[in-house]
Amino acid sequence: MIALDVDGLRKEFTSRSGPPWRRRRETVTAVDGVSFSIPAGEIFSLLGPNGAGKTTCIKMLATLLIPTAGSARVLGHDIVKEEQAVRRLMTAVLPGERTLFWKLTVRENLRYFAALYGLDRAFTDRRIDELTSFFGVAEKLGALVEKLSTGQRQKVVLCRALLPDPALILLDEPTLGLDPHAARSLREMIRAIRDQGKTVLLTTHYMYEADELSDRVAIIHNGRIVCMDSPAVLKRSLNANKIIRLETDVWPHECTMAFDRRFPGNDAVAEERDGQMHVTIMVRSGEIAIGELAGMVNEYGAMITTVRVEEPSLEDVFIEMTGERVESADAEPLLV
Amino acid sequence: MQSHSWYRRFIHPVFSVAWRDIRITTRYKSWFVASFIWPIIFPFSLIFLGQGLAGPDGEGVESFTALAGTSDYSSFLIVGSLVWMFVNINLWMGGLSLMTDRTRGTFDTHWTMPVSKLALVVGATLASLALNFVPMVVAIGFYAAIGWLEMTGSIVQVILAILTVVPFLLGFLLCFAALTVRFREAGILVQVLRTVFSILCGLQFPLAVLPPVLQSIGAAIPLTHFIDLVRTIVIHGGAVFDHAASVAYLLGSGIALSALGAIAFELVRRSVRSSGLVTGY
Ligand SMILES: Nc1ncnc2c1ncn2[C@@H]1O[C@H](COP(=O)(O)OP(=O)(O)O)[C@@H](O)[C@H]1O
Ligand SMILES: [Mg+2]
């Protein structure tokens, strides 16, 4: 059974800038013809850097925005023509810490939102007990939300989203702003939600999160899906058996040229970060002896500070597909 | 089934929103100040100003009586101030509840739910009305106890009079909600309107002192009729329905404004869903 079917979804925003007498209209295409479908019971991730169009996608699916073109169906119900039916079948967790009322207790928040979902009191109270004990926040029911930790708050938000027992749940950057421990625990919860038979669509810009959590991933870049499959298949499709990561003080251009002559059929991509050169080498044909590589680099006056040999990651898939790093735009650490 | 879903989709959410605002507001200590201290000190300066203008022997009262139709200027001013405070705080609080909901990040989440958006505004208005009954009662009790306010009318009639302004407040907040959703700076507009109302509606002085043009504009504003109605009933007694024309005007314009507000709100809701202005942008 297909839980969510998205077909050619597109969203353009027109923004006006400048003073009224010299008003310029600019059209931004935030989502540019996105199609995918999610079978029931799957965790599907939209993975992409900031500004890729993930939130805009989620907002269209959550019936907050009307698509410019294309369509989507939740269990057969159209997100535009049957928005009320869609809102009953699918709930959304939008980014930000302020999606709960901080001056209300956890129980008050959950009862309040249950009323807005149109749930009756007996069902609500039973559901609140089930969900809060499942997420381990039952002893916080009487506490004001402002007194909770960020991780606990995010669990209450998940409780809220699950109150009406939806078939599908949308999570926009669910672990953003959480410390590594809380993020890990939340990822376990998300897997548990899937194991209860729910379908989960989440967005993230963390590679390892998409890798660890998803049954399937779509990498989204500039509003388009560039590739989509299970993390394992995507990494295999990379056509590289090993990745060598070097950090050096410098990496002159001639170095790349020398590399191509010496190790034909392999790729080296260099990028400066924090005053260091980070070189990613995709080993595609044969083996590259580290000693030989180091010798070559030294000839160009560069000093290698660290060397790591790794299995390919989704990050490498992203670089391969788009020629850019996912997290170069922001200062989030690559591995937590 | 039908009535059941109407209850679940509208009535229950309205009360939940109202209850939410009441809970949140009363959890701030400032609410107690606003409800128990502010209503008592608010009219003081006006009354002393009135005493000053009346002169040491009260010779100014004569001309005041000619303009206002009563010599009881302290009751006149207290009722004016209280009514103004009531309207003002309702406009302010109701509007604020919607604005904070928008900036806080809870707004988007509400819009992903199957609840009627109108229920959110109606609930916020209801909470604001309920919360602002408290300072009214406190102030009336206090000034009646110290003898500065002479209540001739019955409290039931006063409450009935207050109810006549509910459609107007609801309509105003619906329009305000529509504006805040669409434009960020709508708060300023409300500030300006409140100040204009405070001058044109004869809150703190008899309308008769205004230039004729302003007087006739003031007379067209429903709030003027509301203040007059409450004041007349408190000071002179009588029933709300002795003033059928004012009541009809208040209710009529209130309902018209509510309808206009509901339409504006629906239009804005649609426009926002295509331009993506709900929050953040
Ligand atoms: N309401 C809006 N008006 C104009 N541009 C917008 C609006 N919402 C998003 N955008 C633009 O669309 C692009 C995609 O944004 P978004 O969907 O938030 O990306 P992501 O969630 O992947 O970071 C960005 O360039 C953003 O600036
Ligand atoms: Mg986003």
Side-chain angles (χ1 to χ4, degrees), chain A residues 195-211:
Chain A
D195 295 342
Q196 289 182 349
K198 310 225 173 288
T199 311
V200 180
L201 167 57
L202 67 88
T203 76
T204 182
H205 67 277
Y206 299 123
M207 293 294 157
Y208 55 89
E209 181 162 284
D211 197 347

Side-chain angles (χ1 to χ4, degrees), chain A residues 166-185:
Chain A
L168 207 149
I169 155 166
L170 305 176
L171 305 171
D172 193 1
E173 310 248 12
T175 60
L176 194 66
L178 297 189
D179 63 69
H181 178 75
R184 198 168 312 127
S185 136

Side-chain angles (χ1 to χ4, degrees), chain B residues 20 93 95-107:
Chain B
R20 168 202 86 190
M93 266 190 52
L96 212 64
S97 154
L98 299 164
M99 289 265 278
T100 48
D101 201 23
R102 198 181 88 88
T103 46
R104 198 161 37 192
T106 34
F107 202 88

